[in-house]
Amino acid sequence: MKPREILTLTACLVLLQQAPSAAASTNAVPDAKRIVFLGDSITYSGHYIDYVEAVLLSQFPKSEFELINIGLPSETVCGLSEPGHAGGKFPRPNLHERLDRVLMKLKPDLIMACYGMNDGIYYPFSQ
């Protein structure tokens, strides 16, 4: 497992272990049926979503969850893109361009978003 995957997994598990106490007051997690995951390449790979699913099933065994991964490699929330991204074929995708369509089509009960874990606009170091 790579260091960034360990960090992502650790963050997810810490948050989800808080879920039972948070859920007691909000019912956000156990009442959610459709959970949509937005993010960049780390979300797209799906590894941490598998871990989230395992924790959800262990914490809420009577709940039925539909986890939908719509992570998109290179996607940002800032709208910035470096020249020559993807060999100059297209700029980085921007969540703001597709968010309304995602929400209308998928109608999620809960959204988990993970951006910027390992991304940046990769310009050469300047003076």
Side-chain angles (χ1 to χ4, degrees):
M1 192 176 289
K2 296 177 185 173
R4 72 172 185 239
E5 291 173 343
I6 293 169
L7 178 62
T8 302
L9 171 60
T10 302
C12 287
L13 292 177
V14 166
L15 290 173
L16 286 170
Q17 288 196 342
Q18 300 302 316
S21 60
S25 61
T26 65
N27 291 326
V29 174
D31 287 348
K33 300 298 178 220
R34 179 174 285 187
I35 303 171
V36 169
F37 290 80
L38 294 167
D40 50 28
S41 58
I42 291 174
T43 301
Y44 178 82
S45 74
H47 297 300
Y48 83 85
I49 297 171
D50 293 339
Y51 300 133
V52 169
E53 181 177 32
V55 172
L56 288 173
L57 293 173
S58 70
Q59 295 292 319
F60 307 103
K62 295 181 182 179
S63 295
E64 292 184 25
F65 298 103
E66 179 183 14
L67 280 62
I68 303 171
N69 179 356
I70 55 170
L72 184 61
S74 295
E75 186 169 67
T76 71
V77 292
C78 68
L80 298 176
S81 186
E82 66 274 34
H85 174 73
K89 294 177 186 166
F90 56 88
R92 286 179 180 267
N94 182 350
L95 174 64
H96 300 280
E97 188 280 321
R98 72 179 181 134
L99 184 58
D100 287 339
R101 290 192 315 275
V102 165
L103 296 175
M104 283 190 293
K105 284 189 173 227
L106 297 178
K107 299 181 184 348
D109 299 315
L110 182 64
I111 297 172
M112 303 221 12
C114 179
Y115 285 93
M117 291 288 293
N118 66 341
D119 294 331
I121 304 303
Y122 301 114
Y123 287 102
F125 291 119
S126 64
Q127 297 296 341

